[in-house]
Amino acid sequence: HVQLVESGGGSVQAGGSLRLSCAASGHAYSSYCMGWFRQAPGKGAEWISSIRSDGSTSYANSVKGRFAISQENNKATVYLQMNSPKPEDTAVYYCVADSNCDKPEWEYDFWGQGTQVTVS
């Protein structure tokens, strides 16, 4: 199993910046694919971004060009840099991980507890 703990959420003004962190621990997390989802009040979970073990990244159109996913060299921490956030980015952000990178991200086995981001 892999444990994921998010941090870095909070309140930010529109047009500012915020960086979320996800600390991974447990079995063989360095070979896992990881990513971020978010869930706004009254809405379903939305996939935001993913990073594979080879370092390749992908983004939802809603955040492309504004958000950036990255990973520490030891792959123990994944970041989501949020630049120029908008009020519609307000949501609980979840870190996700799985050993099977061929799965759709919404089927990833491991989820963190989430961190609230509020953009005003």
Side-chain angles (χ1 to χ4, degrees):
H1 276 66
V2 171
Q3 293 79 45
L4 305 172
V5 179
E6 303 97 335
S7 61
S11 297
V12 61
Q13 289 192 336
S17 64
L18 194 68
R19 189 175 78 164
L20 305 183
S21 301
C22 172
S25 61
H27 178 64
Y29 60 81
S30 61
S31 64
Y32 280 43
C33 291
M34 299 183 71
W36 292 90
F37 273 77
R38 68 185 180 187
Q39 186 165 21
K43 296 187 177 181
E46 176 190 15
W47 170 75
I48 294 300
S49 180
S50 297
I51 186 165
R52 289 176 171 255
S53 53
D54 64 1
S56 59
T57 59
S58 54
Y59 298 92
N61 287 336
S62 58
V63 304
K64 194 175 295 184
R66 298 188 299 121
F67 291 7
I69 191 170
S70 61
Q71 196 169 36
E72 290 281 0
N73 286 340
N74 64 5
K75 300 185 180 178
T77 305
V78 172
Y79 302 102
L80 185 69
Q81 179 68 40
M82 303 173 61
N83 296 324
S84 301
K86 305 174 183 179
E88 52 263 42
D89 294 320
T90 294
V92 177
Y93 284 71
Y94 297 91
C95 179
V96 299
D98 202 287
S99 61
N100 182 356
C101 298
D102 292 328
K103 279 184 179 179
E105 284 85 353
W106 58 86
E107 293 183 7
Y108 279 12
D109 283 340
F110 303 106
W111 289 60
Q113 83 288 350
T115 186
Q116 175 71 46
V117 173
T118 302
V119 185
S120 59

